Amino acid sequence: MPGEVKALTGLRGLAVLFVLFSHVNKAGFMLFDGFDFSGSGRYGVFIFFVLSAYLLTRQFIEQARELDFLPHVTSYFFKRLLRIYPLFIMTLMVYYLFHRYGHTIWVFNVQDIVKNLLLLDGVGVFWAITVEFQYYFLIPLVSLLMLKYHDKKIMISFFSLAFLVLYAINVEAEFKSNLMPFLAIFYMGSFLAYLQGHFEKLKPLLNSDNYEKYLGGLGLIILFFFIILVPKFYGFLVGRDISIGYFHHQFMLFGVLSSLLIFIAINTSGLLNKFLSSRLLCFIGKISFSMYLGHYIVIAAFSKYSHLLASNVSFLLIMLVTILLSYISFKVVEEPLYGLRHRIKVI
């Protein structure tokens, strides 16, 4: 795809694997004993939030320099609707029909569907769509301020860091289908987009071997942190049982770790970049939206017949079927809409 940064596509793939592994393991399906990612799905969602804010803010700032602001905003929102809502509506209806005909995954009715589509609530995995789309409304404003004060690096950095610190102190970290508890996480992605624009001007003046070596090492440490903070693995490390929600409210921690991981993935070409740019992770990253929205359907189907198969066989089949169905969804729904969105310049 034009303008694609492979490492970031792969990072999206890694994020959805956290979600999928967590939910499959929570349903009781294990690849082998000890391989339990239960409770780590939220880590993947936090990566999605920061990455989405980064990419959209960066794109908005770059295009807004060349286009009239109001037509650009109109085009931006139309593209976001085309990106999210067709698959959003389709999967909502599938889950509703499952519930309607006796195969309940989440209990909800037509009124709940309307609330989801109006971004007033989020049933099941759809909570993240509701929260993320609410931030889409702020991206034009945030981008406009960053454009207006683009050269005021110290001022933007000071106010951004002050906002993040005050937010961490005063806003409770809780899971709701509204933006407020997650605003700081999204803003980290937007602030990173601003910083990355300035860093790219600075890069030619730096010794690339030195900074890439140190950044690359830090990136591997951060990736290791994400794995260690999986409750099962952390519990093994500290020698006691850890609840699967133990780290769920560490919003700022995962926002910072996700931001650093994105920054390092973009600005280095070492082992981390190669891992994230691998064909497998990039493939999964491209179909990650379909995987995220649809994987619970596959888990529910296998759960109904779990007594017929060994746990590790079910785990592998759930992964394979989810990837297959997500690829079909990507080719039939997402890819054609991608082409349509990118033919739209300014409305």
Side-chain angles (χ1 to χ4, degrees):
M1 293 181 180
E4 177 188 9
V5 179
K6 283 188 175 181
L8 297 187
T9 302
L11 184 57
R12 190 181 287 116
L14 183 66
V16 82
L17 286 178
F18 268 111
V19 174
L20 195 53
F21 285 172
S22 174
H23 291 166
V24 175
N25 292 157
K26 261 179 78 177
F29 303 111
M30 305 288 173
L31 185 59
F32 50 81
D33 287 343
F35 185 90
D36 187 353
F37 277 73
S38 298
S40 65
R42 302 283 168 91
Y43 310 172
V45 173
F46 292 144
I47 293 172
F48 277 130
F49 284 172
V50 179
L51 183 55
S52 177
Y54 168 80
L55 290 170
L56 290 173
T57 304
R58 188 82 199 272
Q59 184 182 70
F60 197 98
I61 288 173
E62 288 176 354
Q63 293 180 355
R65 286 193 181 105
E66 303 168 6
L67 303 168
D68 292 335
F69 187 75
L70 188 57
H72 178 50
V73 171
T74 308
S75 178
Y76 159 80
F77 278 118
F78 189 65
K79 288 178 179 181
R80 287 294 89 204
L81 285 168
L82 277 178
R83 172 70 180 110
I84 301 297
Y85 266 81
L87 199 58
F88 184 23
I89 293 169
M90 286 173 60
T91 48
L92 261 176
M93 292 309 301
V94 171
Y95 282 108
Y96 172 71
L97 290 172
F98 264 69
H99 168 62
R100 182 76 175 78
Y101 292 100
H103 303 285
T104 300
I105 300 171
W106 300 299
V107 177
F108 65 117
N109 54 35
V110 174
Q111 187 179 13
D112 293 319
I113 292 177
V114 173
K115 284 183 179 179
N116 274 255
L117 294 176
L118 294 177
L119 309 176
L120 300 174
D121 198 4
V123 176
V125 295
F126 298 107
W127 75 269
I129 305 301
T130 299
V131 170
E132 184 169 322
F133 210 100
Q134 287 172 8
Y135 188 70
Y136 292 166
F137 291 104
L138 292 183
I139 284 177
L141 176 61
V142 171
S143 301
L144 183 62
L145 289 170
M146 288 179 173
L147 269 173
K148 183 177 176 64
Y149 299 105
H150 184 263
D151 295 324
K152 311 276 189 185
K153 296 185 285 292
I154 294 175
M155 184 187 80
I156 289 283
S157 298
F158 173 79
F159 281 110
S160 294
L161 293 173
F163 165 72
L164 292 173
V165 169
L166 290 171
Y167 211 88
I169 294 169
N170 293 292
V171 178
E172 184 181 356
E174 55 184 339
F175 284 90
K176 291 182 176 179
S177 292
N178 85 52
L179 176 62
M180 283 307 294
F182 304 96
L183 181 58
I185 298 178
F186 283 103
Y187 185 75
M188 287 183 198
S190 293
F191 183 43
L192 178 60
Y194 172 80
L195 293 177
Q196 177 63 22
H198 285 289
F199 183 72
E200 286 177 0
K201 295 175 185 175
L202 186 64
K203 277 170 82 171
L205 306 175
L206 301 174
N207 184 320
S208 61
D209 290 340
N210 281 342
Y211 84 74
E212 283 210 19
K213 180 172 68 174
Y214 293 120
L215 277 181
L218 178 61
L220 292 173
I221 291 170
I222 291 169
L223 192 58
F224 180 70
F225 253 87
F226 270 100
I227 301 299
I228 284 297
L229 294 176
V230 172
K232 182 73 172 181
F233 305 151
Y234 184 75
F236 177 78
L237 188 68
V238 299
R240 59 188 173 90
D241 288 337
I242 298 293
S243 73
I244 63 172
Y246 190 77
F247 293 110
H248 279 181
H249 293 88
Q250 300 301 321
F251 288 10
M252 301 303 287
L253 171 64
F254 286 105
V256 170
L257 291 177
S258 299
S259 299
L260 287 171
L261 202 56
I262 292 165
F263 179 77
I264 294 165
I266 298 165
N267 293 298
T268 62
S269 56
L271 192 59
L272 177 68
N273 185 284
K274 287 180 172 61
F275 169 67
L276 293 175
S277 302
S278 64
R279 290 179 66 180
L280 178 61
L281 279 182
C282 284
F283 171 72
I284 292 173
K286 285 180 180 177
I287 63 172
S288 59
F289 188 43
S290 289
M291 285 182 72
Y292 178 79
L293 291 182
H295 70 278
Y296 253 117
I297 298 168
V298 182
I299 293 172
F302 274 85
S303 294
K304 194 173 179 64
Y305 303 100
S306 59
H307 60 287
L308 299 177
L309 296 168
S311 179
N312 57 349
V313 174
S314 293
F315 178 93
L316 291 171
L317 286 174
I318 289 169
M319 295 299 298
L320 289 172
V321 172
T322 300
I323 289 170
L324 176 61
L325 293 178
S326 300
Y327 179 70
I328 293 169
S329 169
F330 173 76
K331 298 299 286 187
V332 172
V333 180
E334 293 188 70
E335 200 168 55
L337 288 171
Y338 178 89
L340 176 61
R341 291 199 320 274
H342 287 267
R343 285 196 296 272
I344 298 168
K345 299 300 180 185
V346 178
I347 299 175

